[in-house]
Amino acid sequence: MSIYFFHRIVTKKKYLFPGVIFLCAFLYSCEKEYFPKPKGYFRIELKEKTYVPLPDNYPFTFEIASIASLVEKKEIETDTKENWFDIYYPFYKARIYCSYRAISKEELREVSEDSYRLVFQHTVKADAIEEEIFGYPQERVYGIKYMLSGNTATPVQLIITDSISHFFRASLYFDSTPNQDSLKPVINYINEDINQIINSFKWQE
């Protein structure tokens, strides 16, 4: 039976073929319209976390996420006037670059302007920059958090000072090509940790 059917299709294809094309086109046009799927990204697992205090060998203290590790810059870690270290997130290939500098009151304006320039040099790639000003007078903690949208190298930057002798700076970077659409869940996730830095920040005096 199957051989006979195959034979009929082959011998009559010159009559059936145009009709088959027309029928397929008609049925296809009656189907619901299809649209290309929007570009998707792999789901990123956001790990459970708690917060732990920074080691007490710095002129300040705050809490960092338990899933992150502290990477000290050995060449200057013993210098109490200047400290550099990273808060590294190995699972997300992200790091918060942190730096501290002891300053005089006269130097405050200079270092503040330098930090301002470092933030706004990203305006080439940033779609917008939002400023969030905060202050805790009892702790002498004053600062600004910058949120940069768009495919910029750093989506969050932070400045904290006591307005007299201390200046702390932090910037979030990823070890990958910037793409805020795909990284947005992780940016929001680590931004929670940056807020925790602000809320738990104290000078060691």
Side-chain angles (χ1 to χ4, degrees), residues 110-162:
E110 178 188 346
V111 295
S112 296
E113 288 178 352
D114 286 345
S115 293
Y116 182 86
R117 282 193 293 270
L118 285 170
V119 171
F120 282 86
Q121 73 181 9
H122 294 281
T123 52
V124 175
K125 292 286 187 181
D127 296 331
I129 299 177
E130 296 180 24
E131 295 182 359
E132 184 178 309
I133 300 172
F134 57 88
Y136 301 95
Q138 290 185 336
E139 303 293 344
R140 295 178 293 112
V141 171
Y142 309 94
I144 305 175
K145 184 176 75 170
Y146 298 95
M147 296 288 296
L148 295 84
S149 60
N151 293 330
T152 181
T154 172
V156 187
Q157 295 205 26
L158 173 66
I159 294 168
I160 297 178
T161 181
D162 66 345

Side-chain angles (χ1 to χ4, degrees), residues 100-109 111-112 137 139-142 160-167 203 205:
Y100 164 82
R101 178 179 170 183
I103 60 169
S104 65
K105 195 170 183 179
E106 292 72 28
E107 292 176 305
L108 177 60
R109 181 171 180 174
V111 295
S112 296
E139 303 293 344
R140 295 178 293 112
V141 171
Y142 309 94
I160 297 178
T161 181
D162 66 345
S163 299
I164 300 172
S165 57
H166 299 296
F167 195 87
W203 305 110
E205 292 179 354

Side-chain angles (χ1 to χ4, degrees), residues 13-33:
K13 66 178 180 179
K14 62 181 178 180
Y15 303 105
L16 293 176
F17 192 64
V20 170
I21 292 177
F22 177 82
L23 181 61
C24 289
F26 176 80
L27 292 174
Y28 181 80
S29 65
C30 295
E31 301 253 339
K32 74 176 185 178
E33 198 170 354

Side-chain angles (χ1 to χ4, degrees), residues 2 7 9 13 15 20 32 34 39 59 73 75-76 81-82 103 107 109 115 128 157 170 186 201 204:
S2 60
H7 178 72
I9 292 294
K13 66 178 180 179
Y15 303 105
V20 170
K32 74 176 185 178
Y34 286 95
K39 186 175 182 180
K73 304 300 175 68
E75 64 272 15
I76 53 175
K81 293 184 178 181
E82 190 170 350
I103 60 169
E107 292 176 305
R109 181 171 180 174
S115 293
Q157 295 205 26
V186 181
F201 197 101
Q204 293 274 46

Side-chain angles (χ1 to χ4, degrees), residues 50-79:
T50 56
Y51 292 99
V52 296
L54 200 68
D56 60 4
N57 58 324
Y58 294 102
F60 47 85
T61 183
F62 55 77
E63 294 179 346
I64 66 173
S66 56
I67 65 163
S69 57
L70 194 67
V71 181
E72 296 180 324
K73 304 300 175 68
K74 300 295 183 183
E75 64 272 15
I76 53 175
E77 69 172 329
T78 57
D79 185 354

